């Protein structure tokens, strides 16, 4: 899909925020159009006053920013509407900021937005481009589910509270996390990994379809298995015993925690190819558990499954 240029290309840079450019209206002769209304409990129309606070809320849970213009590119306005719907379905996993570049061009200019539509994910105050096309709503659902799975696997499990039912947090106040996940998150915060595993297991047992609980359980188990393990020692042991399933799966777990997902998958696929019988079954089962931690729709998992199938036959 052709994108509508807006500003100079380049990496997103927040340093320009707080230096507003002069406001500019829509192109001459363009009809006026309503902005997305922020009608969801998990979306807000972005303006100069709300923008900084929105970024600060990314320290609690992920924030999505959608940059759009109904006058310049109607498809981008539809994307903003569809994102409101999909974000609401995630029940606080994301907070959506709706940035109409005709209403607040200074924000798009400060962030050096190269074109619209653009969706940016902000986690812990750090922005990362996420989408640059006006995807159909079903593809949006798949994309945001995959992102949620990856965030959970990386230990990002916070949630936003509904804006319509909870007063905004004041300075020094923390937003309350979703009570379903609070016991597991509290356990992790206290360093009680065994307790976190037990809490996530309860959630999965009560609702096997809870993707975030399943992802949280998978990554908590990885943390449980790697507690107190020295990375250098583990790698040395794996290098000395390339067919030792325990040694290889330990390094795969450590790679997962370090964000080296594809390295972990490749190590175990190769192990499956080299081993037989119970060792092969053990290596395969461990790999399948890591697939679940990342998310079965993730492209890396899909590629890993293809490679696993080749290794098995």
């Amino acid at each position: 899909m052709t994108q509508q240029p807006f500003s100079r290309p380049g990496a997103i840079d927040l340093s320009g925020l707080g230096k507003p450019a002069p406001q500019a209206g829509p192109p001459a002769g363009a009809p006026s159009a309503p902005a997305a209304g922020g009608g969801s409990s998990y979306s807000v129309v972005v303006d100069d006053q709300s923008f900084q606070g929105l970024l600060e809320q990314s320290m609690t849970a992920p924030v999505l920013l959608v940059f759009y213009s109904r006058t310049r590119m109607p498809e981008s306005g539809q994307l903003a509407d569809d994102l409101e719907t999909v974000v609401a379905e995630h029940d606080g996993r994301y907070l959506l900021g709706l940035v109409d570049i005709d209403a607040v061009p200074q924000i798009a200019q400060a962030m050096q937005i190269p074109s619209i539509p653009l969706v940016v994910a902000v986690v812990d105050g750090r922005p990362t481009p996420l989408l640059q096309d006006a995807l159909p709503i079903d593809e949006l659902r798949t994309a945001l589910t995959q992102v949620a799975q990856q965030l959970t696997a990386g230990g990002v499990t916070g949630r936003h509270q509904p804006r319509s039912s909870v007063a905004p947090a004041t300075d020094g106040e923390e937003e309350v996390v979703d009570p379903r996940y609070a016991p597991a998150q509290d356990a992790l915060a206290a360093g009680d990994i065994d307790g976190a595993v037990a809490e996530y297991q309860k959630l999965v047992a009560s609702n096997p379809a809870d993707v975030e609980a399943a992802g949280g359980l998978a990554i908590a188990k990885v943390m449980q298995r790697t507690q107190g393990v020295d990375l250098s020692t583990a790698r040395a042991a794996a290098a000395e015993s390339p067919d030792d399933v325990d040694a290889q799966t330990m390094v795969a777990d450590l790679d997962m925690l370090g964000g080296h997902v594809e390295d972990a998958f490749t190590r175990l696929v190769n192990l499956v190819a080299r081993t037989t019988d119970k060792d092969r079954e053990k290596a395969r089962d461990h790999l399948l558990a890591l697939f679940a931690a990342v998310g079965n729709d993730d492209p890396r998992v899909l590629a890993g499954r293809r490679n696993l199938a080749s290794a098995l036959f």
Side-chain angles (χ1 to χ4, degrees), residues 181-273:
Y181 303 98
Q185 293 178 28
D186 289 346
L188 285 175
D192 181 8
I193 296 174
D194 293 343
V197 168
E199 293 296 339
Y200 277 127
Q201 283 175 329
K202 292 177 187 176
L203 292 171
V204 172
S206 64
N207 181 12
D210 189 333
V211 174
E212 291 175 35
L217 175 60
I219 199 64
K221 284 186 173 180
V222 172
M223 296 171 68
Q224 187 180 51
R225 292 192 294 266
T226 56
Q227 269 188 300
V229 176
D230 178 75
L231 177 58
S232 298
T233 301
R235 288 197 180 280
E240 291 174 5
S241 305
D243 295 334
D244 185 316
V245 175
D246 291 337
Q248 298 301 322
T249 55
M250 178 57 68
V251 174
D253 283 347
L254 291 167
D255 279 342
M256 282 286 293
L257 287 182
H260 307 294
V261 174
E262 290 169 319
D263 290 344
F265 290 173
T266 299
R267 177 179 293 274
L268 294 187
V269 166
N270 292 340
L271 182 62
V272 167

Side-chain angles (χ1 to χ4, degrees), residues 16-78:
L17 295 179
K19 303 174 183 177
Q23 297 233 359
S32 61
S40 163
S41 297
Y42 299 103
S43 64
V44 60
V45 174
V46 174
D47 57 24
D48 289 337
Q49 287 71 43
S50 65
F51 186 62
Q52 187 59 42
L54 192 65
L55 294 182
E56 290 172 359
Q57 291 190 62
S58 74
M59 306 302 292
T60 298
V63 167
L64 302 181
L65 300 174
V66 55
F67 295 85
Y68 68 97
S69 167
R70 296 182 189 277
T71 56
R72 304 177 193 218
M73 189 179 187
E75 300 99 314
S76 68
Q78 184 61 53

